[in-house]
Amino acid sequence: MPEPTAKLVVVTGASTGLGASTARELARRGFHVLAGVRRARDADALRSTGIEPVILDITQAEHVAALASRVADDPRALHAVVNNAGIQVNGPVEALPLEQWRRVFEVNLFGHVAVTQALLPALLRGRGRVVNISSIGGRTAMPTYGAYAGAKFALEAVSDSLRREVEPLGVRVVVVEPGGVRTEMATRGVATANHLAAGMTPEQDERYGGLVQAINSLMTSGTASGLTADAAARVVARAVTTRRPRTRYTAGRDAALIIGLARVLPDRTLDRVFATTLRRHYPAATA
């Protein structure tokens, strides 16, 4: 039998949302996609022509090692790794338990580093690329986004450092910064924020209760008006396939606007912009 000719792409966090849409878009473009999912039922839902689901929790060393072995055993070149897996956990810096900070960084930063380290030898052989899915939260941090944005800021820094290390060796490193995307992640994020807010002390609730509600309202409205997962996936596919990709791509008008403002406005002015935007989302009694 002849060897398969389609190049490999790895997409983490492909169970639903942006990851699943990215896997489908890249398969449609002729890649063989190793799609990381957490559960067998997610694998069954995603499996199709060009998509091979693999059970992958990026925080589990044995899962990452198994993925690296699967790639090493394949005769096809590894064209790209799309580090997409992520969770959203919001809460005020004072009130967010430290174990939640560690959980966010394990998934949204250290897991991506682990996958990248494991697959870089294959990427170097194939002169492939790393595509890290960041966020507008990787360039500017709204209130209660300390943990999430902190991990995304760090991912942006890691991407810059990695790019300067491996692009001379033929491996491209690209960051994609989505704004609001209509996926289950934001819905889960609101539910998580409400659960964590219920654990605040009365004093913390007095200080931050209205703020948490305002952020949740803003997140919900921003998600509802945001890109579809399929539209965001086409931006990721561009980062994967463009011969000479930019170092960063935004996805969505909100991402382009907010990141553009963050580049030019002084911090205090940007603070006032965020405060004004949030004001109409506060509960009436606390606005």
Side-chain angles (χ1 to χ4, degrees):
M1 294 291 290
E3 289 187 352
T5 56
K7 289 184 177 181
L8 292 179
V9 173
V10 170
V11 179
T12 69
S15 295
T16 60
L18 178 56
S21 290
T22 297
R24 294 188 182 102
E25 178 66 22
L26 291 172
R28 188 184 67 80
R29 296 184 184 215
F31 292 98
H32 184 84
V33 181
L34 300 178
V37 298
R38 295 283 301 278
R39 297 163 297 197
R41 68 174 179 268
D42 297 326
D44 293 339
L46 189 62
R47 185 179 288 107
S48 61
T49 302
I51 299 178
E52 178 187 336
V54 293
I55 299 300
L56 177 64
D57 179 341
I58 63 172
T59 68
Q60 298 297 315
E62 62 272 21
H63 287 198
V64 175
L67 174 64
S69 295
R70 168 66 186 83
V71 170
D73 290 342
D74 199 294
R76 293 168 285 205
L78 179 61
H79 176 73
V81 175
V82 180
N83 285 313
N84 168 74
I87 57 174
Q88 185 158 353
V89 177
N90 286 22
V93 170
E94 178 189 355
L96 188 65
L98 195 56
E99 64 266 21
Q100 293 295 333
W101 286 82
R102 293 192 174 104
R103 176 171 171 253
V104 171
F105 273 74
E106 282 293 338
V107 177
N108 291 1
L109 178 65
F110 301 134
H112 299 319
V113 173
V115 170
T116 301
Q117 287 180 335
L119 296 182
L120 259 176
L123 288 169
L124 288 162
R125 287 193 298 271
R127 300 178 71 84
R129 64 188 62 182
V130 177
V131 178
N132 287 330
I133 308 302
S134 180
S135 165
I136 54 175
R139 303 292 289 277
T140 184
M142 291 284 285
T144 79
Y145 275 73
Y148 180 81
K152 292 296 187 181
F153 266 67
L155 183 62
E156 298 258 355
V158 169
S159 300
D160 285 342
S161 183
L162 179 65
R163 186 182 68 251
R164 290 159 186 157
E165 292 165 2
V166 299
E167 284 207 354
L169 305 176
V171 173
R172 304 277 188 174
V173 179
V174 186
V175 174
V176 177
E177 299 162 334
V181 180
R182 283 177 260 164
T183 68
E184 296 175 10
M185 182 176 177
T187 303
R188 290 194 297 265
V190 169
T192 300
N194 286 331
H195 173 73
L196 292 170
M200 292 192 299
T201 66
E203 293 80 8
Q204 290 169 344
D205 185 64
E206 183 176 355
R207 286 193 283 272
Y208 307 117
L211 173 63
V212 170
Q213 293 182 59
I215 285 288
N216 285 346
S217 173
L218 178 63
M219 189 190 314
T220 300
S221 64
T223 299
S225 62
L227 289 179
T228 64
D230 288 348
R234 288 192 287 273
V235 178
V236 178
R238 191 182 317 147
V240 169
T241 59
T242 299
R243 184 169 175 269
R244 295 180 182 273
R246 303 200 302 263
T247 59
R248 283 174 170 81
Y249 291 85
T250 57
R253 287 178 294 179
D254 57 339
L257 174 63
I258 292 171
I259 291 171
L261 289 175
R263 287 195 192 105
V264 299
L265 293 181
D267 288 345
R268 298 295 187 190
T269 303
L270 195 60
D271 290 349
R272 289 193 291 272
V273 170
F274 286 159
T276 300
T277 301
L278 273 174
R279 193 169 296 126
R280 60 179 167 277
H281 290 277
Y282 270 82
T286 59

